[in-house]
Amino acid sequence: MMTTATPKTLSADAGAASPTSRQSRTHLANDAWEGLLTAHTTLMRQFAAEGSWNEVSMREYDVLYTLTKCTTPAGQPNPQRIGELGRNVLLSQPALSRLVDRLEARGLVERLPDPADARSVRIGLTASGREAQRIAGSSHGVSVTRTMTAALSPEELRTLIALTRKLQEATS
Amino acid sequence: MMTTATPKTLSADAGAASPTSRQSRTHLANDAWEGLLTAHTTLMRQFAAEGSWNEVSMREYDVLYTLTKCTTPAGQPNPQRIGELGRNVLLSQPALSRLVDRLEARGLVERLPDPADARSVRIGLTASGREAQRIAGSSHGVSVTRTMTAALSPEELRTLIALTRKLQEATS
DNA sequence: TCAAAGTATATGCGTATGCATATATCAACC
DNA sequence: GGTTGATATATGCATACGCATATACTTTGA
């Protein structure tokens, strides 16, 4: 999906136990990225098809989930800055600002002033927002669990977690 | 980024060598998906920032690359159906149809009749399209190689390829 | 303390996207 | 062979997006 040119033997030599047995490091790196990208596309489609995204779209859910996830060490809800939310969502800052507009208009989040910085705005979940996240999430979570466990063993899941964490850490 | 609710210990217990040491299979599956999603977001941003996407946007490149990649076993260029292209790109069919419109207007691809099926349209790369892919791809390929090899060893890259392949196969 | 540079969010505007649906063709069945 | 349902792509329309920029505030440094 995304690599330099002339692949030809892209995944043609994967017959044996060791997939893509002997390749240049460049080809290996690009194949890995392409694999990640393709898996992402395939899984996104799968999860979009299953799950009920009538109340809340997948991208909106992504924001609501991030807000649910982010709690203080003590477990208190912790309204996030728009910029912070943007780190998790593949959207431009203006697009995210307007996504928050729409969520706010529907009463799912609220813009709160930041006591420490008057430029900033804290986005907080409302009760409805928390509820919407919970409903969409339960359906989605089942879907994710089913698909991921069908494809990978627990050990492989752990390996995938470790590898994606390394990628994040090396990039950010 | 995307999981069911009440995560709390999302990646908090990853202190030791074995990350996310003991978790329910459900939590494991959702963490793996979240990891994949976050890595995707982070890397996409990275590759968008590097690389020169002036002539061709990343999504356009994705289509051009797919066309470059798809060749007959003999190595002949193999114009793809729009539906086939859509499998690789996270776009709706109408959006892809119009993306092809724009690429065609710029002379990067051409719509060819399908001899076997008059409903279908084959999308073929033009010389300019191949050239545009090559130029964008060389810059992008360097970026991908640098980032991926900085984060993961060759063995880890191979593992990631294997895992993402399993995910695709189990899903599609 | 004030000016200049930096940061966080919002808005104007043109374009791309998704949903629903239209159009054209194929495939199957009678 | 003609009708019915499925498949491949295209178009109308409302909406969401990205880029450039504006606005508001903070930080730095003289």
Side-chain angles (χ1 to χ4, degrees), chain B residues 53 55 82 105 107 117 123 142 155:
Chain B
W53 307 108
E55 305 295 327
I82 279 197
D117 187 342
I123 311 301
V142 169
E155 188 184 335

Side-chain angles (χ1 to χ4, degrees), chain A residues 76-99:
Chain A
Q76 295 296 333
N78 188 17
Q80 293 289 301
R81 295 180 161 213
I82 279 197
E84 213 50 48
L85 291 175
R87 216 176 298 285
N88 294 323
V89 186
L90 197 52
L91 273 182
S92 67
Q93 175 270 316
L96 185 52
S97 178
R98 276 163 171 144
L99 175 49

Side-chain angles (χ1 to χ4, degrees), chain A residues 19-34, chain B residues 144-145 148-149 153-159 161:
Chain A
T20 63
S21 41
R22 190 145 299 279
Q23 293 183 313
S24 76
R25 199 149 183 204
T26 293
H27 202 150
L28 216 48
N30 283 276
D31 273 9
W33 169 234
E34 180 167 340
Chain B
V144 170
T145 301
M148 298 295 286
T149 58
S153 71
E155 188 184 335
E156 289 172 327
L157 289 172
R158 266 186 281 269
T159 303
I161 291 170

